[in-house]
Amino acid sequence: MVKMANKKTRGPDKTQANTSDIVVKKLDDATDIVRQPPVFTNDSKYICIASGRQIGIYSVESADKVHSLEEHTFDVIGLAIKDDNILLSCDASGETIEWNINNGTTLKKAPLVVAGIKEFHSFHYPGNGKVLVATPSTYTTNMSSLWIVDSHTRPRKLFADIKSTPHSIAFGCNQGNGSLVVVALQDHSVVVKDITNGVDKKHMTDQRKFTCVALHSEKLIMATGDISGRILIWHDFVHKSRPVKTVYHWHTLPVNSVCFSSEGEYLYSGGSEKVMVKWRLGMSRKQFLPRMGSSIKYIVNAPDNICVATSHSDNAIRFIDSTNKINRAIIGLVKHDPIRGFADTEPIKESVMPTGLVFDPRSHGIFFNAQAGFLQLFDPQKNSLIFNMDVANRNVLTDERNLVIGNAEVLRVAVSPTGEWLATLEVWSNMSAGYHDMNLKFWRYDAVQANYELNTDVTMPHQDRVTALCFQPGLLGTEMPCLVSIGRDLKFKIWRLVDDTDIYRQKESWSCDVAGDFRKLTPSALSFSEDGSLMAIAFQDTVTLWDPTSINLNTTLSHTLVQEPIE
Amino acid sequence: MASFKKTQIRSLPKIGQKVTADTLYWRKLNFPVTVKEFGPIDYIDVMPIEPYFIAVSSAAKVQIYNPITHQVHRHFTRFKEAAYGASIRSDGKLVIAGCDEGHVKLFDIGSKSLLRIFKGHKGPVHRCKFTTDNVHVVSFSDDKSVALWDLPSETEIIKFSEHSDYVRAGCVSSISSDLFLSGSFDHTVKLYDARSPTGSTISVDHGSPVESVLMYPSNSIFVSVGGTELRVWDMLAGGRLLARVSQHHKTITCLHLASDGKRLVTGGLDRHAKIYDVQSYQVVHTLDFPSPVLSLGITPDDFTVVAGMANGLISMQHRQTQAEARALNPKQSLKVQKKSQTAYRFRLNADFRSVNRTFNPATDVEVATKTDTNFVSRYDMFLRKFQYSKALDTVLTPYIRKKKPAITVGVMHELIRRNGLKSALAARDDSSLSSILTFLARNINDPSHANIIIQVANTLLEIYESSSLTPQSEKLFLQLQEHVNREVEYVKHLMEIEGMLHILLASTTTQARRSSTYAVQGSPVKPMLPSAAAAANATMIFNVG
């Protein structure tokens, strides 16, 4: 089957036995570009993005890839700009590599030596040859210890038992005299160390867990975000044991990232609301950039203070210009967030990638889920995203604090044998309300516009969840195409394209031609013979064969011993 | 991605007449002005040039009406008995009419004088026409003959007596002055060429007495009406039947072209005038009249539609002008006015922009562009700000609630999706609660919205079941309950009927199957019989459609 030939999972592909004619393209790495925060170069012209073992250098102007740096043998855990042209990277084994940004060549390789530790969590470079690395904590799992490594002194342990996320460690506050302050988050407290003056502090607030921290580059100001969505601005937190705090509370969901602007006038914050908030420090003014597509993971401000880059959970990095608009984006393979709110009886596949991989004969790409309500077409040969299509065309809703709000999800996709028609099934359901919506949409490919145009939208095609969609193969384009759907309402339905032309317009639309059932059994699987002359529908343990044109039951096949439903 | 997507409003098309461009076009005809004559209106002819005078023949006179003032401009009464088929020449100067004594009379419209009398027919002349060259006249008579007359010399050039019954319909070609058509009560339509005096060139059988004929301006197709049928014939193919259309349920009496030859209008004794598309012969609109329609006239610009009826009534309908539309619908006109004002404002802006164009920004300066502001409805504005109660309030205003319930349901649907229905419905005062309840009661039996309305009603009951209600709200809740009960009863009845139909259908399908198996038993090859499981499903019923 062609569908199998293009099957590819995210990450290293498994070679399949007895498929000699299949070319297996081994992906070197997962293209997760948002695991680590990106880093701008000093001239703000390029942005360095770590994706697995690779590092990509992209132009900020065009969002195109300039260099791909592939030397690391483990996942990259941190990037830093050492000099104007030198990028410093570190992988999970502790190997650091210095790269020339302009031509992408390796300058220096050196292993990090920290008390014999071979595994590292995160890597930061405050400057002056000092390096901050987080290593696994000795006693508690999922926690880190932070070490400072200098070229001429022995590595020193700064903090133990801190959180291991990249955004729970921050440094800055040179106060005009080159001093360095390092802060790190524990669950309910912030630990502070002034390296230059050797001051230690530990600040606590209440029972709200901290999620992220940022330090002002010049002044003694610290910003922390917590799980209640509150942002605290701490003033003079190094010297005072009870520093003055300002509360910025707009977010309702946990703050994922806070970031001071390079010149220190603004604070950017973002979270799962998909809104980037720009706070003016010391004033009550704030600006919003709503509906950014998906949850914000990291926010990074360029050194020139004009461009802001945000990493999103849908594997995209978006650039925001000074007018507070998204003007460019680097998009990887879009990641589909698992659907929540399904019943426990559903298989895991239903929530992770409900559409599966569907081969498109027109573009030789594969269709599968993107963000909620979106469908992406991916070209496996070129390893590129062809397009990401909004099927549901609804606002993506975010959760409220104690409330999971579902979005419409694309559950099934079918492509006609010629590739002209695309059928999508989107479902929105709310188990607590006992209410669900279902839309079967038929899209036609428009070769002139090079996109899919919505032809027919059927609300509630079946009374209960549709479990499979299949186009009739073998039609040579002269006959009207035909789609079969089966659902948990025990019915199978045959949809046909109907000519709906009158004297005012030419129109074709899909309508249900036949609805049938078989002994009140649940249909579980659906298939056509290769020439399309025979349709097989499995009803629990029985396979029924039908003639698709006349809808006559040809024969039924069942095994006396097999009782499980056929899939 | 960054823009707010509007709430989807799903409205199903209403069952009944579809609103098309044609219905809108023909609905713009004003209320008719009627004039009562003494006898049935035999024939109406419209002057083909401005000012589009209308010649009406009824009883013993021919009257020429002004279509704007509806006054009689001229009237010709020099007929002893009934006058028929008055027809105006294409230059609008002369009019001819047939009459009961068998004469064809020619009048000057300007001076009202009788100029010629063509004598020769032995029976009443019901139709007469000027040919395209304007110097000949064709007359169609009850003495079963068709005659061509020379206008200046008042002499008969040629006479065809091929019909075996009264000739009551006729028309001339608009291109050639030699071609003319006649339709007779002997069911035939004949095409004559004055250059071949031996007889008709084409003769077709209409199937019923022909009441009217018409030749298309292109001269390749002609149409005949009679009985309840309209037939279309191809002239170039020697009279091949192209289409048969039967849309009237009584005799069709008259035929006319409209909309620059793109539409065909027929009037009939069933008091309707049907408008057809000339390509597909589908009815695109129907005009209704109070009495059987005998004759129709439409001005070339479609501005006036005149119908003559059996009870002597002439109805003249004008197309609505812009000024009239404004006077009829002041609210809409206000909107148009406002629109024009904004247009002026934008024009001013545009002018300023052109002035500013001399300023060239430096290349390294980023110029902020104006964000395009699409129209956002009020409920979308509130939804965007997560103000769910206000969003629901805006769609519960009487106008939206009653005229556009799909919007209210659409917003309720969105609230369900956003899990905000409870907060939107909670803590409502008496008046807003009553508006919700009346909306629910009114729409709960609408199948296209029912699932959402039921969901809203359930949530509402959940919220207010434990709170004390005013007697008014209580009454409305009871009213809602009554609506639901009635609907349940109704559905129960429908299910009973469906069950009965299923039994009938099942018995017919089993019978059909039995007879087919008997038939195959005779053949030598043993057919594949359905398996036991398949046979058990022989009575399965498909819902087709």
Side-chain angles (χ1 to χ4, degrees):
Chain A
M1 243 178 116
V2 206
K3 205 199 267 181
M4 292 299 290
N6 285 283
K7 184 164 180 168
K8 197 185 63 176
T9 49
R10 291 166 51 73
D13 208 336
K14 292 182 198 99
T15 321
Q16 284 162 336
N18 65 40
T19 47
S20 54
D21 54 333
I22 295 170
V23 181
V24 176
K25 194 178 160 200
K26 194 157 180 275
L27 256 189
D28 290 331
D29 237 318
T31 52
D32 188 355
I33 59 171
V34 296
R35 200 176 295 165
Q36 298 294 330
V39 173
F40 278 99
T41 57
N42 280 353
D43 55 2
S44 304
K45 281 188 179 156
Y46 301 101
I47 186 166
C48 310
I49 297 165
S51 60
R53 278 167 282 184
Q54 297 177 10
I55 301 159
I57 297 178
Y58 293 78
S59 159
V60 173
E61 193 71 36
S62 64
D64 287 333
K65 203 174 199 169
V66 183
H67 296 298
S68 182
L69 316 177
E70 300 168 23
E71 287 276 333
H72 283 292
T73 47
F74 289 88
D75 282 356
V76 176
I77 54 160
L79 296 173
I81 301 296
K82 192 175 181 186
D83 246 324
D84 274 353
N85 280 332
I86 298 167
L87 172 72
L88 189 60
S89 67
C90 177
D91 66 20
S93 72
E95 182 171 46
T96 58
I97 301 180
E98 284 179 18
W99 311 83
N100 185 330
I101 291 166
N102 289 345
N103 52 22
T105 51
T106 317
L107 297 175
K108 199 170 117 187
K109 282 191 189 180
L112 271 178
V113 186
V114 181
I117 295 167
K118 284 276 168 251
E119 196 189 341
F120 296 89
H121 277 167
S122 64
F123 169 83
H124 302 268
Y125 181 74
N128 289 336
K130 292 193 184 80
V131 167
L132 294 170
V133 281
T135 62
S137 197
T138 10
Y139 306 111
T140 25
T141 49
N142 296 329
M143 287 293 188
S144 306
S145 309
L146 189 68
W147 298 73
I148 185 158
V149 182
D150 214 330
S151 49
H152 43 269
T153 54
R154 281 188 57 212
R156 201 151 47 96
K157 199 180 200 174
L158 293 180
F159 311 119
D161 292 347
I162 59 163
K163 292 174 90 170
S164 56
T165 53
H167 252 295
S168 53
I169 298 161
F171 55 87
C173 309
N174 66 12
Q175 297 166 59
N177 54 14
S179 58
L180 175 68
V181 178
V182 178
V183 294
L185 293 181
Q186 291 170 341
D187 265 350
H188 298 288
S189 57
V190 194
V191 283
V192 179
K193 188 152 198 125
D194 190 336
I195 306 275
T196 330
N197 305 324
V199 184
D200 275 316
K201 276 279 176 324
K202 185 168 182 176
H203 297 301
M204 298 173 93
T205 53
D206 44 22
Q207 285 305 304
R208 305 181 208 186
K209 287 184 182 174
F210 289 111
T211 52
C212 55
V213 67
L215 283 184
H216 197 280
S217 59
E218 307 272 326
K219 297 176 196 161
L220 267 182
I221 298 175
M222 172 170 73
T224 58
D226 62 28
I227 54 161
S228 71
R230 183 181 64 168
I231 297 166
L232 290 177
I233 307 290
W234 309 64
H235 301 274
D236 199 13
F237 55 94
V238 175
H239 308 297
K240 288 184 184 161
S241 54
R242 283 193 163 183
V244 178
K245 287 175 285 193
T246 318
V247 179
Y248 286 174
H249 202 160
W250 179 86
H251 293 277
T252 55
L253 301 175
V255 186
N256 283 351
S257 180
V258 283
C259 167
F260 284 99
S261 69
S262 303
E263 286 177 5
E265 285 197 347
Y266 295 97
L267 177 78
Y268 300 96
S269 68
S272 300
E273 296 95 350
K274 308 173 176 75
V275 181
M276 190 185 79
V277 190
K278 187 179 179 184
W279 310 83
R280 175 100 201 227
L281 285 180
M283 293 193 201
S284 57
R285 262 181 57 196
K286 52 184 180 289
Q287 254 182 305
F288 300 104
L289 180 57
R291 292 180 287 278
M292 294 190 73
S294 69
S295 304
I296 297 169
K297 282 184 83 175
Y298 305 114
I299 302 175
V300 179
N301 191 210
D304 65 358
N305 210 14
I306 288 175
C307 186
V308 176
T310 52
S311 293
H312 295 263
S313 63
D314 65 347
N315 205 13
I317 293 174
R318 299 191 166 88
F319 296 104
I320 294 120
D321 62 8
S322 52
T323 57
N324 211 21
K325 267 194 333 202
I326 300 173
N327 54 4
R328 277 176 301 279
I330 298 169
I331 299 172
L333 198 61
V334 183
K335 204 161 79 184
H336 176 246
D337 293 329
I339 304 169
R340 297 155 305 171
F342 266 1
D344 294 336
T345 49
E346 301 269 349
I348 302 163
K349 180 194 160 280
E350 277 295 273
S351 73
V352 175
M353 195 187 277
T355 60
L357 302 173
V358 179
F359 178 66
D360 178 26
R362 187 186 51 76
S363 64
H364 300 286
I366 38 179
F367 279 111
F368 53 96
N369 291 97
Q371 304 102 315
F374 281 69
L375 188 68
Q376 61 185 327
L377 180 60
F378 180 76
D379 190 342
Q381 262 109 42
K382 288 179 194 149
N383 193 14
S384 67
L385 184 73
I386 299 175
F387 61 75
N388 193 6
M389 162 176 165
D390 188 356
V391 172
N393 195 23
R394 295 213 178 239
N395 291 307
V396 179
L397 304 172
T398 60
D399 293 349
E400 283 168 26
R401 198 171 284 163
N402 298 315
L403 202 60
V404 173
I405 294 180
N407 280 303
E409 297 274 1
V410 184
L411 285 200
R412 292 288 179 274
V413 174
V415 186
S416 73
T418 52
E420 189 194 2
W421 290 97
L422 174 72
T424 59
L425 178 87
E426 72 192 67
V427 173
W428 177 92
S429 60
N430 186 343
M431 293 300 159
S432 59
Y435 178 83
H436 64 281
D437 272 345
M438 202 156 48
N439 284 73
L440 178 64
K441 285 179 177 169
F442 292 92
W443 307 78
R444 177 184 235 152
Y445 185 72
D446 184 351
V448 182
Q449 303 275 327
N451 63 1
Y452 283 91
E453 221 172 62
L454 183 63
N455 179 277
T456 309
D457 181 358
V458 186
T459 315
M460 297 304 280
H462 283 255
Q463 288 308 307
D464 206 338
R465 181 86 58 79
V466 175
T467 46
L469 295 176
C470 188
F471 274 99
Q472 182 182 6
L475 301 177
L476 296 164
T478 49
E479 296 146 77
M480 285 300 198
C482 159
L483 176 95
V484 184
S485 64
I486 54 172
R488 290 192 197 149
D489 59 346
L490 315 182
K491 284 204 172 82
F492 68 89
K493 289 190 178 180
I494 298 180
W495 306 82
R496 280 182 211 280
L497 187 64
V498 177
D499 194 7
D500 196 17
T501 306
D502 63 14
I503 57 168
Y504 305 103
R505 74 222 185 308
Q506 254 192 335
K507 210 175 109 187
E508 288 173 313
S509 63
W510 288 80
S511 73
C512 182
D513 186 22
V514 175
D517 55 22
F518 180 77
R519 279 200 246 169
K520 299 289 170 212
L521 295 174
T522 315
S524 51
L526 170 69
S527 181
F528 270 100
S529 67
E530 203 169 312
D531 59 350
S533 62
L534 205 59
M535 175 171 78
I537 302 174
F539 288 92
Q540 284 168 1
D541 57 345
T542 312
V543 176
T544 54
L545 296 178
W546 305 76
D547 179 2
T549 45
S550 62
I551 323 298
N552 276 330
L553 182 63
N554 282 356
T555 185
T556 59
L557 311 165
S558 60
H559 197 279
T560 45
L561 295 178
V562 179
Q563 296 292 322
E564 297 90 47
I566 297 162
E567 292 224 344
Chain B
M1 190 173 282
S3 63
F4 182 82
K5 283 165 194 154
K6 287 177 188 170
T7 306
Q8 288 177 14
I9 306 295
R10 280 176 189 283
S11 57
L12 294 178
K14 267 186 199 153
I15 296 164
Q17 206 182 23
K18 265 194 211 165
V19 177
T20 60
D22 269 293
T23 52
L24 290 176
Y25 183 76
W26 292 105
R27 218 181 267 167
K28 275 196 192 136
L29 291 175
N30 272 344
F31 194 77
V33 174
T34 52
V35 180
K36 179 86 173 158
E37 292 288 340
F38 295 111
I41 312 300
D42 172 65
Y43 193 69
I44 290 172
D45 191 43
V46 179
M47 190 192 283
I49 53 165
E50 297 238 42
Y52 304 134
F53 284 142
I54 297 155
V56 176
S57 340
S58 85
K61 61 185 172 184
V62 172
Q63 283 170 311
I64 296 190
Y65 281 93
N66 184 328
I68 307 298
T69 59
H70 313 115
Q71 299 297 313
V72 178
H73 175 69
R74 289 280 185 276
H75 59 102
F76 304 98
T77 50
R78 296 169 74 163
F79 300 98
K80 283 186 188 132
E81 284 164 80
Y84 300 113
S87 162
I88 304 176
R89 203 164 83 168
S90 61
D91 59 0
K93 284 182 179 147
L94 298 177
V95 63
I96 48 164
C99 57
D100 252 349
E101 57 259 54
H103 299 163
V104 179
K105 294 180 177 173
L106 175 79
F107 301 93
D108 185 356
I109 293 178
S111 66
K112 286 171 69 176
S113 54
L114 177 62
L115 298 179
R116 297 280 189 277
I117 300 179
F118 303 100
K119 293 177 184 168
H121 282 298
K122 293 180 192 73
V125 177
H126 273 259
R127 295 287 178 269
C128 45
K129 293 275 179 190
F130 287 100
T131 58
T132 321
D133 59 6
N134 281 351
V135 292
H136 294 92
V137 170
V138 189
S139 62
F140 308 90
S141 165
D142 277 3
D143 65 358
K144 304 164 194 172
S145 67
V146 177
L148 179 70
W149 309 82
D150 184 40
L151 196 75
S153 61
E154 212 177 7
T155 52
E156 182 186 295
I157 298 170
I158 198 163
K159 192 175 214 171
F160 298 98
S161 305
E162 291 191 8
H163 285 293
S164 54
D165 207 337
Y166 297 162
V167 186
R168 287 280 171 91
C171 74
V172 293
S173 154
S174 58
I175 297 173
S176 162
S177 57
D178 296 318
L179 289 177
F180 44 95
L181 269 177
S182 70
S184 157
F185 278 10
D186 65 357
H187 302 192
T188 57
V189 177
K190 288 177 195 286
L191 176 77
Y192 305 96
D193 189 342
R195 293 162 293 193
S196 66
T198 47
S200 62
T201 44
I202 295 171
S203 175
V204 292
D205 186 11
H206 179 78
S208 47
V210 181
E211 298 281 348
S212 182
V213 289
L214 188 123
M215 221 186 275
Y216 277 179
S218 63
N219 245 5
S220 59
I221 291 170
F222 62 90
V223 187
S224 59
V225 291
T228 57
E229 259 187 14
L230 165 100
R231 292 196 185 196
V232 186
W233 312 88
D234 188 350
M235 208 189 285
L236 300 178
R240 192 166 61 90
L241 182 65
L242 288 178
R244 283 169 65 172
V245 188
S246 183
Q247 293 284 358
H248 287 271
H249 55 264
K250 280 186 185 170
T251 304
I252 307 173
T253 53
C254 48
L255 252 180
H256 212 284
L257 278 176
S259 301
D260 215 10
K262 292 194 186 74
R263 297 284 180 267
L264 188 69
V265 188
T266 59
L269 296 180
D270 58 358
R271 299 190 283 191
H272 294 302
K274 304 258 179 195
I275 302 166
Y276 307 83
D277 173 50
V278 295
Q279 249 125 44
S280 59
Y281 296 100
Q282 277 176 352
V283 175
V284 295
H285 192 68
T286 304
L287 301 172
D288 298 332
F289 293 99
S291 179
V293 180
L294 293 183
S295 49
L296 271 172
I298 297 167
T299 53
D301 56 358
D302 279 356
F303 184 73
T304 313
V305 176
V306 189
M309 279 162 270
N311 60 356
L313 218 58
I314 307 168
S315 122
M316 292 187 226
Q317 283 174 282
H318 292 313
R319 194 158 286 281
Q320 223 170 47
T321 56
Q322 290 247 315
E324 281 169 339
R326 223 173 291 150
L328 277 174
N329 201 343
K331 228 183 214 174
Q332 213 168 11
S333 70
L334 208 68
K335 238 183 240 169
V336 172
Q337 221 173 342
K338 264 186 197 161
K339 213 180 262 175
S340 67
Q341 276 172 2
T342 48
Y344 179 63
R345 209 177 69 215
F346 281 126
R347 219 162 39 237
L348 265 180
N349 276 348
D351 290 345
F352 282 126
R353 221 175 292 147
S354 63
V355 169
N356 282 345
R357 209 167 279 160
T358 48
F359 164 72
N360 286 322
T363 46
D364 57 337
V365 173
E366 232 176 280
V367 179
T369 48
K370 189 173 162 280
T371 50
D372 52 332
T373 47
N374 283 334
F375 171 74
V376 178
S377 42
R378 276 175 66 80
Y379 54 87
D380 269 342
M381 202 176 71
F382 286 124
L383 281 176
R384 203 175 62 187
K385 292 179 178 170
F386 298 87
Q387 295 174 337
Y388 294 154
S389 288
K390 279 185 183 171
L392 191 61
D393 282 340
T394 51
V395 293
L396 283 171
T397 54
Y399 174 72
I400 294 178
R401 196 172 78 202
K402 283 174 189 153
K403 292 280 164 87
K404 293 170 178 175
I407 293 180
T408 315
V409 173
V411 170
M412 285 174 171
H413 190 187
E414 184 67 21
L415 288 174
I416 293 175
R417 275 176 176 256
R418 287 168 172 246
N419 227 330
L421 188 65
K422 226 174 209 177
S423 57
L425 289 176
R428 293 209 164 247
D429 62 359
D430 218 35
S431 67
S432 66
L433 193 62
S434 75
S435 69
I436 295 174
L437 281 168
T438 41
F439 175 78
L440 294 181
R442 190 189 280 243
N443 290 284
I444 201 157
N445 45 17
D446 181 353
S448 57
H449 305 318
N451 53 350
I452 294 163
I453 300 271
I454 288 168
Q455 184 72 24
V456 175
N458 280 340
T459 317
L460 201 67
L461 288 173
E462 207 177 291
I463 295 168
Y464 290 97
E465 68 185 344
S466 52
S467 58
S468 57
L469 293 165
T470 58
Q472 196 202 347
S473 307
E474 223 161 85
K475 204 176 134 201
L476 286 167
F477 268 112
L478 290 174
Q479 210 176 327
L480 180 64
Q481 187 188 19
E482 198 190 319
H483 268 274
V484 173
N485 288 342
R486 218 185 298 155
E487 184 67 14
V488 168
E489 201 61 27
Y490 180 56
V491 171
K492 221 182 263 173
H493 277 297
L494 284 179
M495 299 276 271
E496 277 168 17
I497 294 166
E498 197 188 5
M500 290 176 207
L501 286 174
H502 273 199
I503 292 167
L504 286 176
L505 283 172
S507 64
T508 51
T509 46
T510 42
Q511 273 171 10
R513 192 170 276 264
R514 237 175 252 152
S515 57
S516 69
T517 44
Y518 287 142
V520 289
Q521 268 171 1
S523 59
V525 185
K526 202 185 170 209
M528 195 175 106
L529 286 169
S531 68
N537 278 278
T539 56
M540 203 166 65
I541 292 146
F542 302 110
N543 298 326
V544 179

